[in-house]
Amino acid sequence: MPALACCVDAATIPPGYALTGDSYLPLPETFSGNFPGTNITTTIPTSNHPSILPSLWSPSLSESLYKINGWGAPYFSVNSTGNISVHPHGLNTLPHQEIDLMKVVKKVSEPKSTGGLGLPLPLIVRLPDVLKNRLESLQYAFDSAIKSQGYDSHYQGVYPVKCNQDRFIVEDVVEFGSAYRFGLEAGSKPELLLAMSCLCKGSPDALLICNGYKDAEYISLALVARKLHLNTVIVLEQEEELDLVIDISRKLDVRPVIGMRAKLRTKHAGHFGATSGEKGKFGLTTMQILRVAKKLEKARMLDCLQLLHFHIGSQIPTTELLADGVSEATQIYCELVRLGAGMKVIDVGGGLGIDYDGSHSANSDNSVGYGLEEYASMVVQAIRFACDRKLVKHPVICSESGRALVSHHSILIFEAVSATAAEAPSVSSLGLDLEYFVEGLTDEARADYHNLTTAATQRDFDTCLVHANQLKNHCVEEFKEGNLDLEHLAAVDGLCEILAKAMGAFDSVRTYHVNLSVFTSIPDFWGIGQQFPIVPIHKLDQRPGVKGVLSDLTCDSDGKVDKFISGESSLPLHELEGKGGSVNGVSGGGGYYLGMFLGGAYQEALGGLHNLFGGPSVVRVSQSDGPHSFAVTRAVPGLSCAEVLRVMQHEPEFMFETLKHRVEECGHGGSSEDEQDVEEEDEMARVTLVSGLARSFHNMPYLATTTTCSSYVSGGGFCYQEYCNDDNNNNNCSAVVGGGDDEQQWTYCCA
């Protein structure tokens, strides 16, 4: 019987079937083996050879492979130990100030008994020093452009809180930006309330920009903010809002400051350009702008019109497009000055993009073709040129650069807990004698097999693959009809995989299962295809040996990451230590941690509760002069199972009581013959089960360490896990009982 001669020496594999696109993978070694029923030895390329890894890899090669020097500069690099290092002050970071991310993970995730904080993963690490540096860098870019171009006014930005409404982020922006008159932008009533509260501690000149659709309550609230001496501007998104502003301001006896959002003709066609152009969602047309101006003049309030706002779209790809939009808007601004409006501010909106893929390309939705300095220079130049031509006084320049401010300062860290095997089976593992295997096939399948072996003998590799696919398809159909047993079908699958691997056509991409919910933590990837840099945060002094995609915990086929900033459908990854990997480093010889970077904008605000996975744990990490260069100034665990259930209108306390009564009703007697011993064993079993149930309500929904899963089988009672939650910004965190005020409702037994 002809042998499967298609499994040839590695040296004779045709170039078209080589492992193309795998330049980051180790050099192949060979596998030798015999096919059943044959005397032919095959040599097949296999995965990495450990002995070649140290001499062929270095941290600098990892920086190049993952493009860290592109998207990460000046905040992230790979240190000499192969870990991701944070430069909290950007280019001004001194060597001793660098923060090793793995040391942060170790401090946060290790048990309190060993000096850690006992906080479960996944984890968001917030770096306020990076946020401060971004704000200062943006301010410096505009200040430099204004000075160099002789611009006769100043810049003062606002942070759009919709990007991330977290209290400490907003408070940091106000604190860091107070010296620069940095303000806030709100787009809803609750955002306006938090902005008002935070700006009470900010600069009195800081702008409070009120965007979004508005009803009477929203406008009343904004006018109250003005009565509180906050520099509030109500930006009209619809012409009808003006009537409410005029009416309510008179009732409250407040002179409002009014802005208008212009709907420009300028539009970019990129991924984020849908909100721009004449068909955009927000803004007033030229006809509406004129009607608003005339109505204000009639109401003797034209001096109240002081700001013009526009928005071309997020991630503006080029400064040429930016200049086009700014020039158009400035012409409208100048015309409003001519009509007698009290214009003072031009708000260029959002759109300042960041380089997600490190390519510095204007042709990619994941990148932009400019930096902060080029952006600021173009804005100042376009406004100055248009105003000078019309002899209009230079306005205050405002921007709403949220993405560019907060994206870099937040890192999502998660763990790969297992990976699927991607190696083709060995010949010996097929488990069937070849002659028996062939005799069990149908006539059509047997013909496919003979054609396959003939093509293999002739080294006709294309025909080989065709007949292999036909053989597999025929066998699948026969199996569905009940004419082929499972062993034969498995043998066919195995033979086809061996053939594909021998020819370099085997799909070697592995699926890494990660302790994460894509829907909760990376919603923009699922919703709009936004790609973020994802990188192992350690082992970067070692060559990655496999390609992988990331599969999350949710019961949804969309819960995976299979597109990466490199343009590839897989990511270079390292082998997991130990069989099947580990969970939070407890088993398998240590965890494998990855970080998603540049995700500080929108991801937390947009994340949902798919499968009732709540948000990750969050820590605030500041640079310090301590032994590890950092201090954890705040640590908060992610939502517990009880908390996410409560969000969906369930009542966890009653649920627990129901389950507790069911445990008591069922009874769990022991095996002892002594009646008293039986009662004691029965009571201990109930104690154990109820304690475990209580713990389950209070634990996070994500995968937990082995130690936290033992409450159903141990004899101890339930005790709350403690977390660090200190508002005093020091590293001597005080413990907070996980159950909080509800502790007594949940205790059933004593430990």
Side-chain angles (χ1 to χ4, degrees):
M1 183 168 295
L4 283 179
C6 55
C7 294
V8 295
D9 291 347
T12 63
I13 293 177
Y17 293 97
L19 294 175
T20 57
D22 296 345
S23 58
Y24 59 81
L25 293 177
L27 299 174
E29 63 168 325
T30 58
F31 161 80
S32 298
N34 294 330
F35 266 81
T38 75
N39 294 318
I40 295 180
T41 300
T42 65
T43 54
I44 300 173
T46 59
S47 58
N48 56 288
H49 194 299
S51 63
I52 68 171
L53 298 181
S55 61
L56 293 178
W57 208 251
S58 67
S60 62
L61 289 176
S62 285
E63 282 189 327
S64 177
L65 170 63
Y66 295 107
K67 301 183 179 180
I68 298 172
N69 287 330
W71 57 260
Y75 301 109
F76 306 107
S77 65
V78 182
N79 61 29
S80 59
T81 61
N83 298 339
I84 291 287
S85 186
V86 179
H87 303 250
H89 309 299
L91 294 175
N92 297 321
T93 305
L94 301 175
H96 73 277
Q97 295 175 324
E98 295 182 16
I99 299 173
D100 189 317
L101 263 187
M102 275 303 295
K103 290 182 179 179
V104 174
V105 172
K106 181 178 180 181
K107 172 67 176 177
V108 170
S109 62
E110 284 193 344
K112 287 190 171 183
S113 59
T114 59
L117 300 179
L119 211 63
L121 268 62
L123 175 73
I124 289 176
V125 177
R126 292 204 181 113
L127 303 157
D129 296 309
V130 172
L131 175 58
K132 182 179 181 182
N133 185 266
R134 291 298 292 176
L135 191 151
E136 292 174 344
S137 298
L138 177 63
Q139 184 72 38
Y140 178 79
F142 271 99
D143 288 347
S144 297
I146 286 171
K147 183 178 180 180
S148 65
Q149 297 186 37
Y151 191 84
D152 194 23
S153 191
H154 66 273
Y155 167 81
Q156 56 182 103
V158 297
Y159 167 62
V161 298
K162 67 179 181 181
C163 287
N164 196 321
Q165 300 97 338
D166 180 82
R167 168 191 166 189
F168 297 97
I169 293 176
V170 180
E171 289 180 351
D172 280 344
V173 169
V174 172
E175 178 186 349
F176 300 152
S178 181
Y180 310 112
R181 297 168 287 199
F182 217 89
L184 300 174
E185 180 269 346
S188 67
K189 284 177 279 190
E191 286 185 351
L192 179 53
L193 286 167
L194 74 87
M196 290 167 60
S197 173
C198 290
L199 283 177
C200 286
K201 301 178 181 178
S203 167
D205 297 321
L207 289 167
L208 172 52
I209 303 293
C210 300
N211 287 334
Y213 292 123
K214 303 170 189 70
D215 59 8
E217 185 179 3
Y218 187 136
I219 292 170
S220 298
L221 193 58
L223 292 170
V224 167
R226 189 126 196 106
K227 289 176 76 74
L228 298 176
H229 302 290
L230 296 174
N231 193 8
T232 310
V233 183
I234 301 173
V235 178
L236 304 179
E237 306 279 5
Q238 295 177 299
E239 187 178 355
E240 296 79 11
E241 294 172 354
L242 178 59
D243 294 329
L244 286 174
V245 172
I246 294 174
D247 181 54
I248 298 173
S249 64
R250 287 172 175 169
K251 290 179 179 177
L252 294 178
D253 193 24
V254 179
R255 193 73 174 171
V257 173
I258 299 172
M260 285 194 296
R261 177 166 175 168
K263 189 176 291 188
L264 303 183
R265 268 77 166 179
T266 304
K267 176 180 173 64
H268 83 75
H271 182 73
F272 296 96
T275 57
S276 61
E278 293 181 272
K279 303 297 183 182
K281 178 180 179 182
F282 292 109
L284 307 181
T285 65
T286 53
M287 293 184 295
Q288 291 173 321
I289 289 173
L290 282 173
R291 287 201 295 265
V292 166
K294 290 179 180 179
K295 187 175 289 188
L296 284 171
E297 184 179 23
K298 186 177 180 180
R300 298 183 180 181
M301 296 176 65
L302 192 53
D303 62 308
C304 295
L305 182 57
Q306 298 182 12
L307 178 145
L308 181 71
H309 170 45
F310 68 93
H311 180 64
I312 304 174
S314 295
Q315 283 286 107
I316 298 173
T318 65
T319 52
E320 290 78 15
L321 178 62
L322 173 68
D324 194 20
V326 174
S327 297
E328 180 186 353
T330 308
Q331 294 299 333
I332 298 175
Y333 178 93
C334 292
E335 288 299 300
L336 288 171
V337 172
R338 181 181 64 83
L339 293 172
M343 303 302 292
K344 295 180 181 179
V345 181
I346 186 165
D347 181 354
V348 300
L352 173 55
I354 61 173
D355 195 350
Y356 286 102
D357 63 14
S359 65
H360 203 66
S361 168
N363 300 316
S364 169
D365 286 335
N366 292 315
S367 184
V368 290
Y370 56 84
L372 288 180
E373 293 78 10
E374 297 161 283
Y375 173 87
S377 178
M378 186 58 74
V379 169
V380 173
Q381 178 182 326
I383 296 175
R384 180 183 62 82
F385 181 77
C387 287
D388 287 349
R389 286 188 63 189
K390 295 290 183 71
L391 301 178
V392 171
K393 182 181 178 181
H394 297 168
V396 173
I397 299 175
C398 176
S399 73
E400 302 175 5
S401 303
R403 185 189 303 269
L405 275 182
V406 300
S407 291
H408 297 75
H409 97 292
S410 181
I411 306 167
L412 173 67
I413 295 176
F414 53 95
E415 186 179 10
V417 296
S418 65
T420 58
E423 294 295 324
S426 64
V427 175
S428 59
S429 69
L430 298 182
L432 282 180
D433 177 79
L434 191 59
E435 292 188 12
Y436 168 75
F437 161 72
V438 175
E439 289 174 358
L441 299 178
T442 63
D443 292 340
E444 285 184 330
R446 193 178 297 114
D448 291 329
Y449 178 81
H450 286 301
N451 291 333
L452 169 62
T453 55
T454 300
T457 304
Q458 297 171 353
R459 297 209 185 298
D460 185 349
F461 299 102
D462 287 317
T463 305
C464 250
L465 288 176
V466 170
H467 289 302
N469 287 330
Q470 289 178 349
L471 171 62
K472 189 171 183 177
N473 291 336
H474 282 138
C475 289
V476 169
E477 290 302 319
E478 291 299 321
F479 179 76
K480 289 179 179 178
E481 295 176 4
N483 299 327
L484 195 70
D485 58 38
L486 188 61
E487 290 85 354
H488 276 86
L489 184 62
V492 169
D493 288 339
L495 285 173
C496 290
E497 289 182 6
I498 290 174
L499 170 65
K501 183 175 181 180
M503 298 172 64
F506 180 71
D507 183 9
S508 59
V509 176
R510 301 190 186 184
T511 297
Y512 275 57
H513 303 109
V514 294
N515 194 14
L516 185 74
S517 165
V518 168
F519 304 91
T520 297
S521 296
I522 324 178
D524 270 351
F525 176 81
W526 170 76
I528 61 174
Q530 174 66 47
Q531 295 170 21
F532 298 90
I534 296 177
V535 180
I537 64 171
H538 60 141
K539 297 189 177 182
L540 296 175
D541 56 342
Q542 305 171 30
R543 186 170 190 159
V546 295
K547 299 183 296 182
V549 297
L550 309 180
S551 178
D552 74 358
L553 299 179
T554 65
C555 302
D556 197 304
S557 57
D558 288 341
K560 62 181 179 180
V561 180
D562 55 3
K563 293 182 178 63
F564 302 90
I565 61 167
S566 61
E568 300 290 332
S569 57
S570 61
L571 183 70
L573 295 170
H574 303 83
E575 292 276 5
L576 295 185
E577 295 182 17
K579 187 175 181 181
S582 67
V583 178
N584 287 350
V586 173
S587 62
Y592 186 53
Y593 300 96
L594 299 104
M596 188 201 81
F597 295 80
L598 309 187
Y602 297 108
Q603 303 319 293
E604 294 175 64
L606 292 174
L609 289 174
H610 187 274
N611 265 167
L612 293 188
F613 286 109
S617 301
V618 179
V619 293
R620 191 173 186 268
V621 177
S622 296
Q623 187 269 320
S624 76
D625 295 327
H628 297 303
S629 302
F630 71 89
V632 179
T633 58
R634 182 171 178 81
V636 180
L639 295 179
S640 68
C641 292
E643 289 167 330
V644 294
L645 286 165
R646 192 174 286 112
V647 170
M648 302 305 292
Q649 308 303 312
H650 296 279
E651 300 184 32
E653 292 83 2
F654 292 139
M655 296 167 67
F656 171 71
E657 288 298 320
T658 299
L659 293 171
K660 183 183 72 172
H661 290 315
R662 175 55 64 94
V663 169
E664 294 170 346
E665 290 171 0
C666 291
H668 296 276
S671 58
S672 174
E673 295 182 0
D674 185 276
E675 184 174 344
Q676 182 175 353
D677 289 343
V678 169
E679 291 180 358
E680 291 177 356
E681 290 179 9
D682 187 50
E683 178 62 22
M684 182 61 70
R686 285 196 296 269
V687 164
T688 300
L689 287 177
V690 174
S691 298
L693 288 169
R695 177 182 291 273
S696 293
F697 275 102
H698 281 288
N699 282 343
M700 282 179 67
Y702 294 92
L703 300 184
T705 63
T706 303
T707 55
T708 61
C709 299
S710 60
S711 56
Y712 293 100
V713 294
S714 66
F718 169 68
C719 62
Y720 291 93
Q721 194 168 2
E722 295 179 346
Y723 299 105
C724 165
N725 187 3
D726 188 1
D727 292 336
N728 295 323
N729 292 343
N730 62 67
N731 204 26
N732 300 316
C733 299
S734 58
V736 175
V737 177
D741 296 335
D742 297 331
E743 180 183 2
Q744 296 304 319
Q745 299 180 38
W746 292 87
T747 51
Y748 171 72
C749 57
C750 299

